[in-house]
Amino acid sequence: MAVNILFAAKPDRWPDYEAPLRRALDAAGLAEATLSTDIAPQDVDYIVLAPNGPVTDFTPYTRCKAVLNLWAGVEDVVDNPTLTQPLARMVDHGLTQGMVEWVAGHVLRHHLGMDAHIHGQDGIWRTDVPPLAEDRPVTILGLGALGCACAKALVSLGFDVTGWSRSAKDVPGVRCLHGDAGLRDALNTAQILVLLLPKTPETEDLMNADRLAMLPQGAVIINPGRGPLIDDDALLAALDAGHIAHATLDVFRTEPLPPAHPYWAHPAVTVTPHIASTTREETAAQVIADNIRRSEAGAPLLHLVDRDLGY
Ligand code: NAP
């Protein structure tokens, strides 16, 4: 039977994805597959999904074998009660590499104190030399596809890296912690904290006033994970009190971040507009084609979402 693949994202994404997906399907031995934005639901075998796209009710897709998410985050689809098919999330080399570069850049900005020289072109000869990376403890909350890659990159730059996850992990060069006791330790030592957790009921407001207070005085927070990981009022209070020296935030509860939001004007906050990384069409297409090939061959899908855990 022919394989029918529905591309279900906003219409402007189709021109970017059509050729890379076609190439990747050909390379995966699926040259005969039909790939379209318009297939009768009862004939669809796979849905390539952007959660902000046209498919929100999966009920009519009676023959669908899997839903392949174009995004790493699945919080907008994982609780959909009509979704009974397996859901795979995006783990893409391009997405991962983009996140590694963004995190490394922002960690280095704070580690080296670059702002003093970028903003301080005022004739003052500032001679403070930053410590070496090996003397800079960095903690990453979340040791998944992205957190793990960022941890390894920071280790290769020499940083003293601690990682924290739900389950126990072993990442070379990284002090790996987990569970509640591990979180306290991970926060107590973090001069720079990077959040790369998914948004789930367990992670929402993880960085509340109590957890922010566990960070050392003058710590910096970098959040490319999800906005709801942070209690915004608690963070603003910690910034105003000087307990947190700076927050670099890429993700927010409401996006775009409303112009009147206090983060925009706060002198100790850097806002970036959810650009830390993105799915890259060429590499993501290969991941999708490979997963369809696996499914058609009876092999388990890669990057399956655990619906109970929510990520
Ligand atoms: P992932 O592979 O699913 O990894 C998630 C990590 O979080 C895992 O290490 C997991 O622990 C840990 N975790 C989940 N719930 C936890 C909990 N309750 N307590 C402790 N640890 C917990 O996800 P990923 O691909 O690395 O992506 C992470 C997030 O980055 C995405 O969900 C998305 O929100 C965000 N993101 C942002 C951008 C951007 O441009 N800003 C781009 C892509 C993704 P285990 O290892 O024990 O399961």
Side-chain angles (χ1 to χ4, degrees):
M1 198 189 293
V3 176
N4 295 329
I5 304 164
L6 178 71
F7 184 82
K10 285 192 169 166
D12 63 342
R13 305 305 291 133
W14 178 234
D16 297 329
Y17 271 102
E18 184 180 8
L21 275 171
R22 199 67 270 171
R23 274 195 294 278
L25 289 167
D26 289 355
L30 292 160
E32 305 299 317
T34 298
L35 171 69
S36 173
T37 57
D38 185 17
I39 303 174
Q42 67 275 12
D43 294 333
V44 169
D45 294 295
Y46 298 94
I47 302 175
V48 177
L49 183 88
N52 65 350
V55 174
T56 52
D57 179 5
F58 296 89
T59 316
Y61 296 89
T62 48
R63 156 174 147 182
C64 179
K65 298 174 201 167
V67 174
L68 308 166
N69 203 43
L70 282 168
W71 304 350
V74 293
E75 68 269 24
D76 292 337
V77 63
V78 73
D79 292 331
N80 187 321
T82 68
L83 178 62
T84 52
Q85 299 86 348
L87 172 66
R89 55 187 213 90
M90 181 51 66
V91 177
D92 153 39
H93 161 75
L95 176 72
T96 303
Q97 181 58 24
M99 185 61 79
V100 165
E101 293 175 14
W102 189 91
V103 166
H106 286 277
V107 166
L108 284 169
R109 169 193 172 194
H110 294 296
H111 166 61
L112 296 175
M114 288 181 183
D115 290 18
H117 304 286
I118 292 170
H119 301 303
Q121 300 292 302
D122 49 10
I124 298 172
W125 192 249
R126 294 180 174 83
T127 57
D128 292 346
V129 176
L132 290 176
E134 64 198 43
D135 297 319
R136 181 76 71 189
V138 179
T139 288
I140 303 183
L141 302 188
L143 280 177
L146 300 179
C148 198
C150 291
K152 287 177 182 167
L154 293 175
V155 165
S156 74
L157 287 170
F159 285 100
D160 171 9
V161 181
T162 295
W164 181 75
S165 50
R166 191 181 49 79
S167 55
K169 289 272 180 308
D170 183 10
V171 184
V174 177
R175 189 171 69 110
C176 293
L177 304 172
H178 68 283
D180 285 347
L183 180 58
R184 176 177 285 277
D185 188 354
L187 295 177
N188 279 168
T189 51
Q191 288 182 13
I192 300 177
L193 178 71
V194 180
L195 305 181
L196 273 169
L197 294 161
K199 175 187 177 278
T200 71
E202 280 71 41
T203 62
E204 189 152 2
D205 282 328
L206 185 86
M207 293 312 297
N208 57 21
D210 290 346
R211 302 262 172 54
L212 289 166
M214 291 178 192
L215 291 164
Q217 176 79 20
V220 164
I221 295 180
I222 300 175
N223 184 16
R226 281 292 182 261
L229 299 175
I230 297 177
D231 175 335
D232 294 322
D233 290 338
L235 176 58
L236 286 162
L239 287 162
D240 289 341
H243 181 64
I244 303 298
H246 198 98
T248 295
L249 308 173
D250 185 57
V251 283
F252 306 91
R253 280 168 202 269
T254 304
E255 296 183 4
L257 184 66
H261 196 284
Y263 281 150
W264 282 115
H266 201 289
V269 174
T270 300
V271 170
T272 64
H274 203 143
I275 44 84
S277 193
T278 190
T279 307
R280 314 282 159 153
E281 293 88 359
E282 204 66 45
T283 43
Q286 291 163 15
V287 174
I288 287 164
D290 189 44
N291 238 352
I292 294 174
R293 179 191 60 74
R294 291 174 64 91
S295 171
E296 289 300 298
L301 286 164
L302 297 176
H303 318 310
L304 273 179
V305 171
D306 183 321
R307 304 290 294 276
D308 293 330
L309 291 175
Y311 71 96

